[in-house]
Every structure is written in C-alpha cells, then in structure tokens.
Amino acid sequence: MSFPGRFAEQLLPDQLAHLSVSFLVEDLEVRRGGVAANIAFGMGVLGGRPLLVGAVGADFADYRAWLERHGVETAGVRVSDLRHTARFVCTTDADLNQIASFYPGAMTEAREIELAALGPVDLVVVSPNDPAAMVRHTEECRARGIAFVADPSQQLSSLDGEQVRTLIDGADLLVTNAYESAMVEHKTGWSGEDVLKRVAVRITTHGVEGAVIAQPGEADVRVPVVPAASVADPTGGGDAFRAGLLSARSWGLSWERSAQVGSLLATLCLESTGPQDYSLDRDAALSRLGTGYGAAAADEIAPHLPSH
C-alpha cells in the first residue's frame, strides 16, 4: 500500500506510548511471493519442475493453481487446518519509509514436514522458513545423505549462532548477500576460511557488483550482472538469481555459467513489478547473455533454455 503523506508528520513524539494511527492509502497491490515459491517459479520459467515444500493455509488454492500453471509441483505443500498462509503487509510513505507486519501463520507448521515422505529428491534448498523447520530439514538432509543448499537469508536475524552453524555445516552450497555473509561469520564466530572448510561452495551476491563464487583451494570467480534496462521493483531479485543458478547446475553447467544464468533471471525480475511477473524470451535472453558474458557463454547455455 502507498501512503501519499509522510509518517513523520503523523507521529507525535510525546504520544508514542499511546500510539494509535490510521493512514488513508492511495492504492493496494496484492502480489504473490514467499522465498520458496519465488525460487520455484523462476525454475519453472526455465523449464524445470521443482517441488515446493512448505506449509500453507486453506486460502492457498488460487496460488497453488498459479504455481502449477508455471511448472511448479506442489505435492510437498502441507495445508493447515487452523492458520492462513503467511503474508507480509506493508505501507510505504512518500519518503519510502515503511511500516510493515509479517504474519507467519501456517509457516509455523512446516516443522511437521518430513522430507523422506516426499520421495527421492536431487537437492534440498533450505530457504527462510520456520526456524525449527529449517533446522529439522537440514539435520534430516545430513542424516539421510541428501545434498542441500543453505540459504538462511532473511531469517539470520532471528537465529542464534548455534542454529546458524547447524544450518551451514556440510552444505553443498551456501548462498547469501554481502551483508548476510558478514552476519554468518559474526553469528557463527567462524572466519571466511572457517566457513569454506564446512561448505563445498560459497556464493555471495553484491547487488550491482555481481556475485562472487568461492571454493576451497581455488581462486574466487567474479560474475558481473546482466545490466538492467530499467528497475521496476527489486523485490525477489535474489530469489530469481537462486532459481537461475540452481536450474543451470541441474543442467550440468559450471558454477560460473550457472551464476550467469542466475544474473540473467535476476535482471528479468528487477525489470518487472513483483517477484513472479517476469517471463523468458529465449532469443532476447541469449542476446543479453552474449553481450554480457561473450558468445561462448551464450552458446553453452543455449541448448538448455526453453523455447517458450
């Protein structure tokens, strides 16, 4: 929601202990989101068939239909009998200040999901979710020998050091942005070298400066972004990057090529409004990949891009 005024003009410092305000907003936009769903949607755009795992409410029916139309398998979704699907409600004022609330709702039931019951999987991505669910799913992956990605991102602020160490140790991939990367080291007490001893690959995104791929005993690889023609909405850009990255790895491409596909998808997301409102034009995508990374990169990625 957008408030045309300024929150600061409506708040009385000497009355904050009795705060009760209402803002008349100009518009309301309802958009689909959620980290797991955003990543799964992006993989569907690239022709994949990812399995979404999480807990939702009975109000999920329309969202389920949308995701399934875009290539997402939803058999791993648990439907709560008591709570609504998690949602984020935000009001932004003229100065881009925000007042927001996050309702976890059915997300708290994700800890009841057992991965073994979902059948064989290639890779489990443990993204921001109910903290107890994140820990359970990570420990189950280790116990069952299932490859997993540690993607704690927004939940890092609510996790303690021991939980963060549990989520990372033994991961095939740790992916964070630069701030989250520093927070991981702060909360775990591990240095960057310590982290690399516990994960196979570490990828850190740096916004417009691209991404850095780090692997034990190897020189870092830097992957620049695909320049955006315009930025309509930054929401979901990181999730789109993960979708492209993981899709390309499933195609058997190198980490560098995979990060390039991730950068492409992130840019497509940035150029649209909302985290699930972009599509892929194959010819345009290959042109942008060639311009950004060279003809060899475009030629190597081309056989895997869908024609739609």
Side-chain angles (χ1 to χ4, degrees):
M1 293 171 283
S2 297
F3 173 57
R6 293 177 170 81
F7 295 143
E9 296 173 352
Q10 312 300 320
L11 304 178
L12 304 176
D14 61 341
Q15 295 296 315
L16 292 182
H18 312 287
L19 183 64
S20 179
V21 295
S22 176
F23 302 102
L24 184 63
V25 298
E26 287 188 330
D27 55 58
L28 168 67
E29 294 184 7
V30 180
R31 301 204 175 271
R32 302 175 182 91
V35 173
N38 291 343
I39 294 174
F41 172 86
M43 296 183 77
V45 167
L46 290 173
R49 187 69 182 174
L51 174 67
L52 179 66
V53 179
V56 301
D59 55 339
F60 185 67
D62 287 345
Y63 199 173
R64 183 194 297 275
W66 162 266
L67 290 170
E68 290 184 344
R69 287 200 307 274
H70 289 83
V72 179
E73 171 60 55
T74 62
V77 174
R78 170 193 171 101
V79 179
S80 172
D81 294 324
L82 303 174
R83 300 174 178 88
H84 292 291
T85 304
R87 65 198 63 203
F88 175 74
V89 181
C90 181
T91 302
T92 305
D93 74 0
D95 292 329
L96 300 183
N97 296 311
Q98 295 182 324
I99 294 177
S101 299
F102 179 73
Y103 166 72
M107 189 179 81
T108 58
E109 297 182 19
R111 65 187 69 179
E112 305 299 329
I113 299 173
E114 184 175 4
L115 299 179
L118 304 176
V121 295
D122 302 307
L123 180 73
V124 172
V125 183
V126 184
S127 288
N129 196 354
D130 171 61
M134 295 171 70
V135 170
R136 174 181 179 173
H137 295 154
T138 301
E139 290 178 336
E140 185 178 351
C141 285
R142 274 195 293 266
R144 299 183 183 278
I146 302 172
F148 70 96
V149 175
D151 177 27
S153 55
Q154 293 100 318
Q155 283 291 37
L156 277 172
S157 60
S158 62
L159 299 168
D160 61 33
E162 183 58 34
Q163 287 174 314
V164 178
R165 287 190 288 270
T166 297
L167 293 175
I168 291 173
D169 199 16
D172 286 70
L173 169 65
L174 168 63
V175 57
T176 60
N177 63 31
Y179 180 81
E180 293 159 355
S181 177
M183 185 177 289
V184 163
E185 294 175 17
H186 172 73
K187 288 210 166 189
T188 60
W190 294 338
S191 66
E193 290 183 358
D194 292 333
V195 173
L196 270 184
K197 291 177 182 177
R198 291 169 168 84
V199 302
V201 182
R202 183 180 190 181
I203 295 183
T204 306
T205 60
H206 294 265
V208 296
E209 297 178 4
V212 176
I213 305 167
Q215 294 178 267
E218 298 186 21
D220 290 353
V221 176
R222 297 183 177 273
V223 177
V225 301
V226 172
S230 62
V231 177
D233 181 5
T235 307
D239 300 333
F241 174 83
R242 288 155 173 76
L245 175 82
L246 297 171
S247 294
R249 283 299 289 178
S250 75
W251 302 335
L253 298 183
S254 68
W255 282 113
E256 182 177 14
R257 290 285 184 260
S258 297
Q260 290 168 351
V261 176
S263 178
L264 170 69
L265 219 64
T267 296
L268 294 179
C269 181
L270 294 177
E271 292 173 343
S272 63
T273 301
Q276 295 181 31
D277 293 271
Y278 60 93
S279 58
L280 180 78
D281 180 287
R282 188 176 187 278
D283 292 338
L286 289 173
S287 175
R288 298 181 78 166
L289 287 168
T291 300
Y293 306 119
D299 290 344
E300 194 172 341
I301 295 169
H304 305 284
L305 291 184
S307 57
H308 63 270

